[in-house]
């Protein structure tokens, strides 16, 4: 029972793989091609089969120290070396360093028809010598159709194909065999896909005059793999596969906050800005200052010491610099300091995948802390909605994995609920969604801003009117009228009315203060008069009392003098004796 437990299953050895070094392909195959086994790469003309095989060898030699052998049946060694020079691959140097061996095998069908005999024994000897001469770990055979062109007998053909694949397994080399697409089957013979351990199908299709190359892993014995179709590009740096579902939602997040570039807008967020590494979407109708909001953010990032890439799909760099300078956003200074990079092009210049590859390349070279794309709406001109949504999903994931704060602008049309729905359908993918819209009043159009969502952060629920001034964007205070929030001339009229009412209240208060002051002075005057009258009466009474006291003292003094002048006779009874 324990042998079948999940823990035991995880302990089982996994299929060994050889990393290709091709960007994105190792993610889809979850590590690379099966080590020591043959892989079939099939597709129509012009889809890059040979280039993928050569890059597999070059990356193996340079990045993983695994020498390789390229056996070609159509192009000579000098032709192959010249063809891949534009990709930066120096096959001649690799040959001199014994990391690569090129061998061209010429197969002439007329000679085979004359002798009537043909097998792969000579090929095995020749290929085996090439492998042993440099200790090769990787082999590419390009293409198998040329090798088996002289087999008229299908039974012999199938037998030799099986023998070739078994021989490669016995040599223990990781091999790629290229094959052309057949009618109703992956290859012309219809057998290679069955004997191969891994089959990769390349496709080059044209839809609405736009060419897109796509890759699909048809089968992979002993390993899980991505099963979708993945766009890929042949760029100056080689092949780049851009997987849609290979990125898992397990990237790290930051709790740091970056400013929006507008202090009043910062105040509308609970933490005063966006989370670092998050994605921000600014949507609105034409003329609602979406580009100015984006430029304000880019300006703030650069002023804080960061680096920003600005993708402009509607304006040239010179026009963008001039327009932003009119609102006191000096992007030229950041360009001169090397903190800002403006990439301007019409979306129709390249396909969706080329735009994505360009962004990947610039991010790796410039290493920005923020990316601005203005607007993403124009991408619809080079792809349908599903393709644009897929591309933007991969873009958002890529930027989040790298911890880059992204700001996108998008044009919306219509009114009401339609203004809150982007044609690209990415509003649910972003972390912060800001809506700017027209607020039409009586004979005028004003701009309003609101935050529809901000994941992980409290935010204002107000619709703030804002102005684009010579000093940048200015958010105005919310003014409430009898019927709700008022804007524009109505806001000014409401403010004038409020100021008039405030002035009237102030004047009434001042009038009351003056009346109180007047009454206070009257009362104080009355109090002073009463105090004066009281003091007069008090003085008069005091004077009467003093006079009475003086009269009594004078009377007493006279009586004493009279008494002293008439003493009583001797023996005369006194008052006391008479008692």
């Amino acid at each position: 029972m324990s042998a079948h437990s999940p823990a035991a299953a995880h302990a089982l050895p996994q299929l060994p793989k050889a990393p290709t070094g091709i960007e994105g392909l190792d993610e889809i195959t979850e590590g690379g091609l099966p080590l020591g086994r043959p892989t079939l790469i099939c597709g129509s003309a012009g889809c890059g089969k040979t280039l993928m095989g050569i890059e597999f060898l070059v990356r193996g030699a340079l990045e993983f120290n695994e020498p390789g052998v390229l056996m070609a049946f159509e192009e000579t060694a000098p032709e192959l070396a010249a063809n891949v020079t534009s990709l930066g691959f120096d096959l001649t140097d690799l040959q001199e360093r014994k990391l690569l061996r090129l061998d061209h095998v010429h197969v002439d069908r007329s000679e085979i028809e004359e002798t009537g005999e043909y097998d792969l024994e000579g090929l095995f000897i020749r290929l085996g010598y090439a492998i042993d001469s440099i200790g090769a770990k990787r082999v590419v055979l390009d293409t198998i159709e040329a090798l088996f062109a002289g087999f008229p007998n299908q039974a012999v053909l199938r037998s030799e194909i099986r023998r070739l694949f078994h021989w490669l397994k016995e040599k223990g080399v990781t091999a790629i065999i290229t094959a052309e697409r057949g009618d109703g089957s992956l290859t012309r013979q219809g057998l290679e896909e069955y004997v191969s351990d891994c089959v990769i199908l390349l496709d080059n299709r044209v839809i609405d005059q736009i060419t897109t190359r796509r890759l699909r892993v048809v089968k992979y014995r002993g390993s899980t793999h991505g099963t979708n179709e993945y766009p890929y590009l042949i760029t100056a740096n080689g092949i780049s596969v851009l997987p849609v579902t290979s990125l898992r939602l397990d990237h790290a997040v930051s709790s740091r906050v970056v400013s929006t570039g507008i202090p009043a807008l910062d105040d509308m967020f609970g933490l005063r800005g966006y989370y670092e590494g998050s994605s921000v979407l600014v949507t609105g109708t034409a003329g609602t200052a979406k580009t100015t909001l984006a430029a304000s953010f880019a300006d703030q990032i650069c002023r804080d010491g960061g680096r920003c890439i600005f993708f402009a799909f509607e304006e040239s760099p010179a026009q963008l610099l001039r327009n932003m300078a009119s609102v006191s956003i000096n992007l030229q200074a950041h360009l001169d300091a090397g903190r800002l990079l403006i990439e301007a092009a019409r979306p129709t210049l390249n396909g969706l995948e080329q735009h994505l590859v360009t962004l990947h390349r610039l991010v790796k070279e410039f290493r920005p802390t923020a990316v601005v794309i203005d607007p993403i709406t124009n991408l619809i001109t080079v792809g349908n909605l599903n393709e644009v949504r897929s591309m933007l999903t991969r873009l958002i994931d890529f930027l989040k994995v790298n911890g880059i704060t992204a700001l996108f602008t998008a044009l919306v049309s219509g009114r009401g609920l339609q203004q809150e729905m982007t044609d690209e359908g990415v509003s649910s993918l972003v972390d912060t969604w800001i809506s700017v819209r027209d607020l039409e009043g009586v004979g005028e159009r004003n701009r309003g801003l609101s935050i529809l969502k901000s994941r992980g952060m409290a935010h204002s629920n107000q619709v703030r009117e804002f102005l684009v001034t010579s000093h940048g964007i200015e958010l105005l205070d919310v003014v409430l009228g009898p019927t709700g929030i008022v804007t524009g001339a109505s806001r000014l009229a409401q403010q004038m009315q409020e100021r008039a009412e405030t002035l009237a209240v102030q004047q009434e208060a001042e009038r009351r203060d003056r009346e109180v002051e007047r009454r206070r002075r009257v009362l104080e005057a009355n109090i002073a008069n009463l105090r004066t009258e009281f003091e007069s009466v008090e003085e008069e009474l005091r004077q009467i009392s003093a006079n009475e006291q003086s009269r009594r003292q004078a009377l007493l003094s006279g009586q004493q003098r009279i008494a002293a002048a008439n003493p009583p006779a001797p023996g005369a009874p006194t008052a006391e004796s008479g008692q």
Side-chain angles (χ1 to χ4, degrees):
M1 294 294 292
S2 61
H4 299 285
S5 64
H10 287 297
L12 293 175
Q14 302 296 315
L15 179 71
K17 298 184 179 182
T20 65
I22 298 175
E23 184 179 7
L25 183 57
D26 290 337
E27 295 182 7
I28 297 172
T29 56
E30 298 185 6
L33 304 182
L35 183 67
R37 299 186 183 186
T39 295
L40 177 67
I41 297 180
C42 52
S44 57
C47 60
K49 301 184 296 297
T50 302
L51 291 178
M52 183 169 287
I54 292 177
E55 185 166 356
F56 171 71
L57 295 179
V58 173
R59 301 290 183 191
L62 296 178
E63 299 178 11
F64 308 106
N65 195 26
E66 293 186 359
V69 172
L70 173 60
M71 184 164 284
F73 305 105
E74 293 181 340
E75 297 176 278
T76 64
E79 289 174 342
L80 288 171
N83 291 343
V84 298
T85 301
S86 61
L87 303 180
F89 300 154
D90 190 349
L91 301 188
T92 304
D93 177 68
L94 292 176
Q95 291 182 85
E96 294 174 353
R97 294 161 58 187
K98 304 298 182 182
L99 294 175
L100 180 66
R101 178 153 185 165
L102 297 181
D103 194 0
H104 174 251
V105 177
H106 176 68
V107 179
D108 193 338
R109 183 169 183 175
S110 61
E111 296 178 0
I112 299 172
E113 291 175 349
E114 290 177 1
T115 61
E117 295 181 359
Y118 180 69
D119 60 27
L120 299 180
E121 197 60 40
L123 175 69
F124 294 159
I125 296 174
R126 188 167 178 172
L127 184 56
Y129 173 76
I131 293 173
D132 296 337
S133 64
I134 61 173
K137 301 295 183 182
R138 303 185 178 202
V139 171
V140 172
L141 302 180
D142 181 50
T143 65
I144 199 171
E145 279 74 25
L147 180 62
F148 293 115
F151 279 95
N153 190 324
Q154 291 295 318
V156 175
L157 172 63
R158 291 175 178 269
S159 174
E160 289 300 306
I161 289 177
R162 288 194 179 95
R163 196 156 74 96
L164 172 62
F165 278 71
H166 291 161
W167 185 87
L168 291 171
K169 283 187 178 181
E170 291 174 358
K171 291 294 292 184
V173 294
T174 306
I176 285 181
I177 297 96
T178 66
E180 296 181 4
R181 187 77 178 267
D183 295 331
S185 61
L186 297 179
T187 60
R188 292 186 179 181
Q189 281 72 35
L191 178 65
E192 299 93 324
E193 60 261 36
Y194 296 103
V195 296
S196 301
D197 289 85
C198 179
V199 178
I200 297 176
L201 175 63
L202 305 183
D203 181 34
N204 187 15
R205 68 187 68 167
V206 179
I207 301 176
D208 294 333
Q209 302 178 356
I210 298 175
T211 300
T212 303
R213 293 183 173 93
R214 299 185 183 274
L215 175 149
R216 179 167 65 93
V217 180
V218 179
K219 79 170 185 179
Y220 199 137
R221 288 174 180 165
S223 173
T224 57
H225 57 85
T227 58
N228 295 335
E229 281 191 328
Y230 303 95
Y232 69 96
L233 294 172
I234 300 175
T235 68
N237 298 318
I239 292 177
S240 176
V241 186
L242 305 171
V244 179
T245 58
S246 62
L247 293 173
R248 303 179 183 273
L249 294 176
D250 56 0
H251 53 271
V253 297
S254 173
S255 296
R256 294 185 66 249
V257 174
V258 295
S259 173
T260 66
I262 303 172
L265 182 56
D266 288 342
D267 294 337
M268 296 181 68
F269 290 93
L271 298 180
R272 294 187 53 78
Y274 312 130
Y275 278 123
E276 186 179 62
S278 64
S279 54
V280 181
L281 177 65
V282 179
T283 61
T285 53
T288 50
K290 300 183 296 298
T291 302
T292 306
L293 286 168
S296 299
F297 170 70
D299 175 59
Q300 185 66 45
I301 288 292
C302 295
R303 285 194 284 118
D304 290 341
R307 296 162 67 87
C308 181
I309 299 178
F310 197 110
F311 285 87
F313 289 145
E314 291 182 337
E315 299 175 279
S316 66
Q319 183 180 4
L320 181 64
L321 294 174
R322 182 202 65 187
N323 294 347
M324 293 304 104
S326 67
V327 291
S328 299
I329 300 178
N330 187 8
L331 298 182
Q332 183 66 55
H334 305 315
L335 275 176
D336 297 338
R339 292 188 295 269
L340 177 66
L341 174 64
I342 299 178
E343 181 74 11
R346 289 292 183 188
T348 52
L349 176 65
N350 298 305
L352 288 174
E353 309 308 326
Q354 183 62 51
H355 285 298
L356 187 56
V357 166
T358 300
L359 187 140
H360 278 231
R361 174 178 58 81
L362 292 178
V363 165
K364 290 182 179 179
E365 295 174 355
F366 194 70
R367 298 187 179 277
T369 54
V371 168
V372 174
I373 298 182
D374 176 49
I376 60 176
T377 316
N378 288 20
L379 296 174
I380 298 179
T381 59
V382 290
N384 58 46
L385 290 180
N386 290 333
E387 291 174 341
V388 173
R389 188 179 298 113
S390 173
M391 179 264 194
L392 292 175
T393 301
R394 285 175 280 147
L395 173 59
I396 291 173
D397 286 342
F398 171 73
L399 295 176
K400 281 190 174 183
V401 167
N402 288 275
I404 299 172
T405 309
L407 188 144
F408 311 102
T409 69
L411 178 68
V412 295
S413 58
R415 304 191 178 281
L417 293 178
Q418 292 182 358
Q419 288 191 346
E420 298 180 359
M421 299 172 61
T422 59
D423 292 335
E424 303 77 25
V426 296
S427 56
S428 61
L429 300 176
V430 297
D431 300 302
T432 301
W433 185 4
I434 298 175
S435 174
V436 287
R437 64 187 70 181
D438 292 328
L439 303 176
E440 294 188 4
V442 180
E444 62 181 8
R445 184 173 64 87
N446 304 293
R447 299 182 179 98
L449 180 148
S450 61
I451 302 173
L452 299 184
K453 76 171 182 178
S454 183
R455 289 173 178 163
M457 186 185 303
H459 56 87
S460 172
N461 62 348
Q462 293 180 334
V463 178
R464 297 282 298 274
E465 183 183 2
F466 68 94
L467 302 175
V468 181
T469 69
S470 58
H471 302 289
I473 290 181
E474 177 185 353
L475 268 68
L476 305 178
D477 294 332
V478 175
V479 177
L480 295 177
T483 58
I485 296 177
V486 293
T487 60
S490 300
R491 178 182 58 81
L492 295 176
Q494 180 69 23
Q495 289 179 335
M496 292 177 61
Q497 181 179 353
E498 291 178 354
R499 284 196 294 268
E501 293 176 353
T502 302
L503 180 61
V505 171
Q506 181 180 355
Q507 291 175 344
E508 178 64 18
E510 292 175 353
R511 187 191 64 79
R512 292 177 180 176
D513 291 342
R514 290 194 299 272
E515 179 66 17
V516 169
E517 179 65 19
R518 186 186 65 79
R519 292 187 178 185
R520 183 184 65 79
R521 288 197 298 268
V522 170
L523 291 176
E524 287 180 350
N526 292 336
I527 292 173
N529 293 333
L530 291 174
R531 183 177 292 111
T532 301
E533 183 179 353
F534 173 76
E535 290 175 353
S536 298
V537 173
E538 183 182 28
E539 180 63 25
E540 182 179 356
L541 294 176
R542 187 181 297 109
Q543 186 65 35
I544 294 174
S545 176
N547 293 336
E548 180 65 22
Q549 184 68 21
S550 297
R551 189 184 65 79
R552 287 182 179 180
Q553 289 180 354
L555 180 61
L556 179 60
S557 176
Q559 290 177 352
Q560 289 177 350
R561 287 196 300 270
I562 294 173
N566 299 295
T574 62
E576 295 179 359
S577 63
Q579 293 176 353

